[in-house]
């Protein structure tokens, strides 16, 4: 896997993935940023949510659950001192579908947390406390 990051002025950078997708990153205004994009640590947090959400949906689909939506809310805490690393991250999944089984959703979230989500497992190995919760909503 490869990526590049190019400075575009002030506290702004263009990050490009090896597959050619780009995102504009920016620092906070009090540090020279112009609010042109997410902060790098926000991107890291969104990456954890994306990685785990991908797993949850994939596992549920493979277990023949009729998933129509998956929403992941993330809440992170960071250390007060520099480096201001993540100290904890909580992922809350809101899974919507028809006739979803509680055990299947619980299993999907657990498998992502314990076996498949490389991003959250890597951060947990580095000392970040990762927690998960979920709720199921019936499709109207």
């Amino acid at each position: 896997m490869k990526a590049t990051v190019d400075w575009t002025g002030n506290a702004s950078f263009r990050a490009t993935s090896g597959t050619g997708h780009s995102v504009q990153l920016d620092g906070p205004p009090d540090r020279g940023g112009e609010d042109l994009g997410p902060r790098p640590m926000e991107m890291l947090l969104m990456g954890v949510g994306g990685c785990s959400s991908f797993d949850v949906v994939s596992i549920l689909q493979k277990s023949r659950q009729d998933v129509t939506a998956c929403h992941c809310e993330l809440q992170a805490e960071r250390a007060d001192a520099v480096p201001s690393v993540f100290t904890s991250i909580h992922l809350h999944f809101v899974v919507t579908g028809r006739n979803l089984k509680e055990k299947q959703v619980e299993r999907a979230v657990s498998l992502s947390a314990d076996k498949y989500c490389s991003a959250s497992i890597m951060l947990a190995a580095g000392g970040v406390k990762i927690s998960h919760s979920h709720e199921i909503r019936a499709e109207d």
Side-chain angles (χ1 to χ4, degrees), residues 112-136:
S112 176
D114 299 333
K115 185 174 183 180
Y116 293 113
C117 181
S118 304
S120 63
I121 292 168
M122 176 184 64
L123 290 172
V128 181
K129 290 172 37 179
I130 309 281
S131 59
H132 300 77
S133 61
H134 70 276
E135 64 184 271
I136 297 172

Side-chain angles (χ1 to χ4, degrees), residues 21 29 32 35 68 73 126 130:
H21 301 281
D35 208 21
T68 58
E73 300 167 359
I130 309 281

